[in-house]
Amino acid sequence: MFYFLSKAIDFVAMPLSIVFFLLLYSLLARKRKGRKSAAIMAVVLLYLISNTFLVNSALNWWESKPVNMSDLKVTYDVGVLLSGGLMDANHPAEDHAVLGKRGDRVLQTYLLYKAGKIKKILITGSSSSELMLEGKGETRQAADLMVQWGVPAGDILFEEKARNTRENAMFSSIILKKRFPAGKYLLITSAFHMRRSAGCFAKVGIHAATFPADFYGGYYSLRLQDFLVPSPDAIAGFSMLWHEWIGNIVYKLVGYT
């Protein structure tokens, strides 16, 4: 129930959905003042979420700070890699791996393993039932890619039931507590998603160090157009961030973090 409710909230509360509802109201409302106010609110909101400077600032504030591998002074028994966008499943007939929009998580996990920072890799998360039946779920595809890069297959573990971050933590904790009860764990996920992920794992008794990947904020010098010209990339970045903020609030309210 929670899974489907969260998807409904995603649709209703996302920034572009709000803009759409405001514009729809501006067309249908009977009172001229109400129509005008709704249209103005839609334009202002659209400008704010498409402003590169504002969105970049919000991302830099929210995302976990980068961690250099040289900063990791211990070797972790397990690196826990959260799935979701690791691999591109739009072309299931292809005979080679295609990294998805969160593919940096796979690369960083591989680099951590090759650098001797983690001994084992646990990939957690489910995929569509069709891909799972074909053995092409993204956890398996990510693992196959790392094996091609030189990671021994025996050093990769799987958890393939989790549909959300809460379940990632719950199902992974069962494996970790059973197989590595006194182990040291390193949590690997996108920088924007790390706060909620770490909170979920801590809630189920897994207190892991964190290694953020897949950064979207930027520390470059901004141009004048970043302040003035609306950007579709900024809208995408803020939509992702807004989704994470809502998820973080909901998880806190229901006691998942």
Side-chain angles (χ1 to χ4, degrees), residues 172-194:
S172 295
S173 70
I174 296 172
I175 297 172
L176 295 173
K177 291 175 181 178
K178 181 179 180 180
R179 298 194 57 175
F180 309 93
K184 294 183 177 68
Y185 317 121
L186 185 65
L187 184 61
I188 307 155
T189 189
S190 297
F192 75 88
H193 189 50
M194 185 59 79

Side-chain angles (χ1 to χ4, degrees), residues 45 103 124 208 221:
L45 178 58
T124 168
S221 297

Side-chain angles (χ1 to χ4, degrees), residues 12 54 59 71 79 84 92 97 126 134 154 163 179-180 193 201 222:
V12 174
L54 294 176
L59 283 166
D71 296 332
S126 184
E134 295 177 10
R163 299 171 299 171
R179 298 194 57 175
F180 309 93
H193 189 50
F201 274 79
L222 294 172

